[in-house]
Amino acid sequence: MKDSVKRVVWVTAWVVMIIVSTTDPVFAGAWTAKQGDMYCKLTFNLYEADEMFNDSGNKAAFRDSGEFSDTNISTYMEYGITDKITLLGSLSYKRLKSENNAMIYKTRGFSDLDLGVKYRLASGNFGVISAQGLIKIPEFYDDDTAVALGNNQYDTEIRLLYGKSLYPFVPGYINIEAGYRLRAEEPSDEFRYLLELGFDITDAVYSRVKLDGIIGMDNNDTVLDYAGNPTTTLDYDLGKLDLALGVNLSKQVGIELGYRGDIYGENTASGENVSLSLVVQY
């Protein structure tokens, strides 16, 4: 990461989900929360890029020696309506900066709101299988900002998830996800996939690695039209490698240090992200 990002834009809290109690450490992925349980992850992110993947998948510098940065605070929440049904949501407050040899453009504000529901289809010795539906809501920003906070259109997604504990062989788990995102208006639809592997290093320290991927379906009219934000192109492929190291301070509170690199793609930015998260579960 470069030293150009100097300070944090603190986030105003968004919609508060109901808080009750739990001591179950397994959340997210294919697993659903128990009825009344809540998981919240508040993350400070620093993302910077000065290269893009071109339409051949090769890296190239931004035009006019440009740079792009996204400093944001994001929140992700899950809440158990029943043991099989979990509500989820996420929202970020961003400070975006796009610069080149001639100009510097800045935008700050909330980005898209994601709301979804996850339903556990089956569970047993084979693991857990769930289905998830999600809608992306672009109602928190204008479409005429200097650097776009989003594509300003609604998305809907259906996803199938599979998770399995690796106990008693090793203290860990695997999680596999695949989904299709239908994007309104100009952007191409997307096939999304995720491969995740997590391990407990000690009783309090854990690690996680994820490959998070997007494949554009090539059903749009325009390839590159990102309004100053190279991460919001209309048709792109992207693979991100996400590494995390976490410490459970108690059964309810933990912290995570993360690193994410864009490792392959087409028609989108190639950058790096570092993050610090506070995890609370009740």
Side-chain angles (χ1 to χ4, degrees):
M1 300 294 294
K2 302 177 181 63
D3 295 330
S4 59
V5 179
K6 298 297 183 182
R7 65 189 185 89
V8 176
V9 179
W10 224 179
V11 65
T12 303
W14 68 290
V15 181
V16 178
M17 286 188 174
I18 304 171
I19 299 177
V20 282
S21 65
T22 185
T23 57
D24 188 347
V26 178
F27 277 95
W31 287 270
T32 53
K34 292 180 180 179
Q35 184 175 8
D37 288 357
M38 190 277 294
Y39 171 95
C40 178
K41 184 176 183 179
L42 185 67
T43 303
F44 169 61
N45 293 286
L46 288 166
Y47 175 85
E48 289 191 343
D50 58 9
E51 293 181 311
M52 287 193 70
F53 295 108
N54 61 24
D55 56 7
S56 299
N58 299 315
K59 290 184 180 181
F62 286 141
R63 56 179 178 264
D64 299 324
S65 301
E67 294 183 354
F68 173 78
S69 66
D70 178 348
T71 305
N72 69 79
I73 290 184
S74 65
T75 182
Y76 174 83
M77 293 185 179
E78 292 197 359
Y79 177 73
I81 299 298
T82 71
D83 288 352
K84 288 188 174 182
I85 300 174
T86 296
L87 294 182
L88 56 95
S90 65
L91 184 65
S92 296
Y93 186 86
K94 295 175 175 283
R95 179 185 182 273
L96 306 179
K97 182 170 71 172
S98 179
E99 58 182 304
N100 54 44
N101 290 332
M103 299 291 292
I104 297 177
Y105 301 95
K106 297 180 181 179
T107 298
R108 65 180 65 193
F110 288 101
S111 60
D112 298 308
L113 170 66
D114 288 342
L115 292 176
V117 60
K118 179 165 52 178
Y119 179 75
R120 190 175 75 218
L121 300 172
S123 62
N125 292 334
F126 60 86
V128 178
I129 299 174
S130 297
Q132 179 177 294
L134 179 144
I135 183 170
K136 189 195 74 166
I137 302 171
E139 296 295 339
F140 291 87
Y141 57 87
D142 297 324
D143 60 359
D144 58 353
T145 54
V147 188
L149 288 160
N151 287 120
N152 199 41
Q153 97 288 324
Y154 284 82
D155 294 351
T156 54
E157 178 184 295
I158 297 296
R159 182 175 292 228
L160 189 66
L161 309 90
Y162 169 75
K164 180 172 175 54
S165 170
L166 300 178
Y167 289 95
F169 304 106
V170 292
Y173 68 93
I174 58 171
N175 183 65
I176 302 171
E177 303 179 13
Y180 191 87
R181 177 166 291 208
L182 181 66
R183 308 179 77 200
E185 301 178 14
E186 291 183 341
S188 288
D189 295 345
E190 297 171 346
F191 174 75
R192 295 193 166 212
Y193 58 94
L194 184 143
L195 306 174
E196 179 178 355
L197 181 63
F199 288 102
D200 291 339
I201 300 173
T202 70
D203 289 343
V205 180
Y206 61 91
S207 61
R208 183 182 66 246
V209 57
K210 292 194 292 188
L211 176 63
D212 191 355
I214 297 171
I215 300 175
M217 294 290 99
D218 300 325
N219 59 344
N220 75 314
D221 295 327
T222 306
V223 174
L224 289 174
D225 181 16
Y226 51 81
N229 185 340
T231 66
T232 61
T233 55
L234 301 181
D235 188 355
Y236 67 96
D237 300 343
L238 180 61
K240 301 175 286 186
L241 184 64
D242 191 330
L243 307 173
L245 183 67
V247 178
N248 292 317
L249 303 178
S250 70
K251 291 183 178 181
Q252 287 80 32
V253 179
I255 56 173
E256 282 187 12
L257 179 65
Y259 168 82
R260 188 187 74 235
D262 299 330
I263 57 175
Y264 57 84
E266 293 182 7
N267 299 321
T268 190
S270 171
E272 296 175 302
N273 187 87
V274 293
S275 63
L276 180 64
S277 301
L278 174 67
V279 178
V280 180
Q281 49 191 0
Y282 291 97

